[in-house]
Amino acid sequence: MTATVVRKRSALTKGQLPKFAPYIVLAVAVIVGAAILALVGFNAFGWGVVSAVLFTIGLVGWSGAVEGARKAKDKLATCLIVGSFLIALLPLVSVIWTVLVNGIPGLVTPGFLGTSMNGVTGAFDNKAVEEGGKVLGGIYHALLGTLQITLLATVISVPVGLLTAIYLVEYGNDRPLARAITFFVDVMTGIPSIVAGLFAAAFFFAVVGPGTKTGAVAAVALSVLMIPVVVRSSEEMLKIVPNELREASYALGVRKWRTITKVVIPTAISGIASGVTLAIARVIGETAPILVTAGFATTINNNVFGGWMASLPTFIYTQILNPTSPSNPGPSDQRAWGAALVLIILVMLLNLGARLIARLFAPKTGR
């Protein structure tokens, strides 16, 4: 009986690689890759590339010899797909690692999140470098400016974008105006951010006066970038609402505007909210339009409608380009990397918030 079972198992597994085959090939590829790189000059990136190539060749060759050409082609495609994914992931991991290594020292500095650059001069940075003291100055003013500008841009963009999407889906019916709006939204999606900043600056220069730079002007520039994203995401979410829901509401005698507000928007609110959150994440790190429209400040400005205002992107830019102490740029670099880490954390939280909102506001399904 036992011999019969063994023979059946052998017949079933004949012509197949063992489950541990990829691990054996990987171990051999890593060892051989390290030996090859040791001869020509070792580096981690080259080691990974050579090991991946050797692993693919070894696994596909072994599979072709044991399993045949069909299984070998399947494993080759799998290796190429996984390799492409790792290549796409490599820059992201590299950026995150670099920002973490350089940004954590600035982030953990006492007072970094709660103080501004008001009164901080090059003498303080020279002293910190020469005596090994604490680096003074923080990003509180820039963080506050970023939140205020982004909030005002959201207040401007969301109503305009949502109402535009409602018109295109519910009232447009391929009319000339709807086609024109769609065309201009597509054009606005691809405009450079600096053009949005120049538009907002020129508009306020003409209306208010030359040299007008405030957080409100920056918010208008960011809204130019946000509106197309909100329109597109909201339009797609409204389109996937089943027409049967609209028809059922109309059959009950409900007016169209009330159907939109009570049936269509609540059904699509999950996707709309996540689209708005992603639009915010898209503009929160813009630098060029804010430099043109809001300027730069070293003090706290709580009035978004008056005076120059700092933001995290412009803070990073100025700390790198114009260090507080040109002879000792180390403290400025530390502040810049710390601000970059905070900015990445904000974008990550916004993306996680988009997913959470999509889950919370998703239509409840039942039996």
Side-chain angles (χ1 to χ4, degrees):
M1 182 66 179
T2 304
T4 303
V5 173
V6 171
R7 283 197 298 271
K8 287 183 178 180
R9 287 179 178 174
S10 300
L12 291 174
T13 58
K14 184 179 180 180
Q16 295 182 5
L17 290 179
K19 294 183 179 180
F20 54 82
Y23 303 103
I24 296 178
V25 177
L26 179 61
V28 174
V30 169
I31 295 173
V32 175
I36 294 174
L37 265 293
L39 298 176
V40 299
F42 185 84
N43 65 85
F45 178 76
W47 181 30
V49 172
V50 172
S51 299
V53 173
L54 293 176
F55 172 78
T56 302
I57 294 174
L59 185 62
V60 173
W62 191 1
S63 177
V66 176
E67 299 177 320
R70 181 171 175 271
K71 290 293 185 67
K73 292 178 181 178
D74 178 74
K75 285 184 168 53
L76 176 61
T78 302
C79 291
L80 292 177
I81 292 172
V82 174
S84 300
F85 167 74
L86 294 177
I87 291 173
L89 196 63
L90 185 61
L92 176 62
V93 174
S94 176
V95 169
I96 293 177
W97 176 256
T98 303
V99 176
L100 283 174
V101 170
N102 294 280
I104 288 178
L107 186 61
V108 299
T109 301
F112 181 71
L113 296 176
T115 58
S116 68
M117 292 294 294
N118 186 25
V120 178
T121 63
F124 292 96
D125 287 357
N126 293 334
K127 183 178 179 181
V129 173
E130 295 169 0
E131 300 180 5
K134 184 182 72 172
V135 176
L136 300 179
I139 62 168
Y140 179 74
H141 62 303
L143 181 60
L144 186 63
T146 295
L147 296 178
Q148 289 177 331
I149 293 172
T150 307
L151 178 61
L152 183 57
T154 305
V155 171
I156 297 172
S157 304
V158 172
V160 175
L162 181 57
L163 292 175
T164 302
I166 291 174
Y167 171 78
L168 292 176
V169 175
E170 304 294 336
Y171 297 96
N173 297 325
D174 203 29
R175 295 174 180 172
L177 178 60
R179 292 198 299 270
I181 292 174
T182 302
F183 172 75
F184 285 113
V185 167
D186 292 338
V187 172
M188 291 175 63
T189 303
I191 64 172
S193 59
I194 186 62
V195 175
L198 292 174
F199 161 75
F203 176 78
F204 278 88
F205 287 179
V207 174
V208 181
T212 303
K213 289 186 178 182
T214 63
V217 183
V220 172
L222 294 184
S223 67
V224 174
L225 302 173
M226 283 186 64
I227 287 174
V229 180
V230 176
V231 171
R232 276 295 175 215
S233 60
S234 301
E235 183 182 3
E236 295 302 321
M237 292 301 105
L238 293 173
K239 284 181 178 178
I240 65 175
V241 176
N243 283 327
E244 289 79 2
L245 295 178
R246 298 180 177 88
E247 294 169 356
S249 179
Y250 297 151
L252 295 174
V254 180
R255 295 179 180 272
K256 188 168 186 175
W257 69 268
R258 195 167 182 83
T259 299
I260 295 172
T261 56
K262 296 296 183 179
V263 177
V264 177
I265 292 179
T267 305
I269 191 64
S270 171
I272 293 173
S274 60
V276 170
T277 309
L278 293 176
I280 296 172
R282 180 248 186 273
V283 303
I284 197 172
E286 290 290 347
T287 306
I290 298 181
L291 279 173
V292 175
T293 55
F296 177 77
T298 59
T299 58
I300 299 170
N301 181 8
N302 292 314
N303 184 9
V304 75
F305 296 100
W308 287 24
M309 179 173 285
S311 65
L312 287 175
T314 57
F315 178 84
I316 298 169
Y317 175 81
T318 53
Q319 285 293 304
I320 294 295
L321 188 65
N322 298 310
T324 307
S325 174
S327 59
N328 289 307
S332 293
D333 292 343
Q334 179 177 309
R335 297 189 199 99
W337 281 110
L341 179 57
V342 172
L343 190 58
I344 288 179
I345 292 174
L346 287 177
V347 174
M348 181 189 68
L349 292 176
L350 286 171
N351 282 274
L352 292 177
R355 294 179 178 272
L356 180 61
I357 290 172
R359 178 172 296 183
L360 290 177
F361 288 96
K364 301 299 184 293
T365 58
R367 294 182 179 179

